[in-house]
Amino acid sequence: MQPIKVLFVCGHNTARSQMAEAFLRELGGREFAAESAGLEAGEAINPLAIAVMRELGIEIAGNEMTRAFDLYAAGNLYDYVVTVCSEAQAERCPVFPGITERRHWPLADPAKLEGSWEERLAETRRIRDEIKEKVHALIGEATAD
């Protein structure tokens, strides 16, 4: 049986999509194949995202950043494409060929948070936990068929 292929897309592939990919890899097991990408590739994984994922024992610091259009150009097919960015950014995501179910999870961007390190870290934890809940729900929906 082929795994359910899921692509998570955000603006730069440095935080939200990376966290979602990591959670699906962790929680979805062999039933899923997870990837992440950005509309543009960022330069480094967001240190807030690294910190909050490390709190759960998940390491994302060494992950590469990928552009969604490169995956599209390569002809990659997905069962689900989940945008985890603003509505305006989501509209710029390529429409992948094949039977793909699109989802949109409008999540706050840790790169745009303001305040002290601790305040931004607390908000990034909230975003992380929301992503984890949504990934759990996606796993349930995708495997219910």
Side-chain angles (χ1 to χ4, degrees):
M1 181 173 156
Q2 293 288 343
I4 298 166
K5 293 185 72 177
V6 180
L7 174 65
F8 296 99
V9 181
C10 69
H12 293 97
N13 193 215
T14 60
R16 297 164 290 183
S17 57
Q18 292 280 351
M19 289 190 282
E21 175 188 2
F23 277 130
L24 187 57
R25 288 181 185 275
E26 181 84 13
L27 304 170
R30 294 183 181 165
E31 292 184 63
F32 291 88
E35 292 183 76
S36 66
L39 296 173
E40 300 173 22
E43 294 181 17
I45 303 294
N46 185 305
L48 292 163
I50 292 169
V52 300
M53 294 302 281
R54 278 185 181 154
E55 291 174 352
L56 301 180
I58 300 172
E59 186 59 61
I60 63 171
N63 291 6
E64 293 191 20
M65 285 133 301
T66 305
R67 287 179 357 114
F69 285 98
D70 293 340
L71 300 175
Y72 173 82
N76 291 13
L77 301 175
Y78 299 95
D79 297 295
Y80 292 88
V81 174
V82 182
T83 52
V84 294
C85 51
S86 70
E87 189 70 41
Q89 285 179 317
E91 290 174 3
R92 294 179 33 219
C93 184
V95 176
F96 286 82
I99 301 171
T100 300
E101 187 171 328
R102 290 179 65 107
R103 300 282 175 92
H104 179 64
W105 301 344
L107 300 163
D109 185 353
K112 295 183 178 172
L113 297 176
E114 296 181 1
S116 70
W117 171 261
E118 286 304 319
E119 291 168 332
R120 292 181 294 136
L121 193 63
E123 182 61 15
T124 304
R125 282 186 192 108
R126 188 198 62 73
I127 295 165
R128 174 201 65 197
D129 294 346
E130 184 177 354
I131 291 170
K132 185 176 181 181
E133 287 177 21
K134 289 180 177 295
V135 167
H136 266 297
L138 179 64
I139 291 169
E141 292 171 27
T143 57
D145 296 332

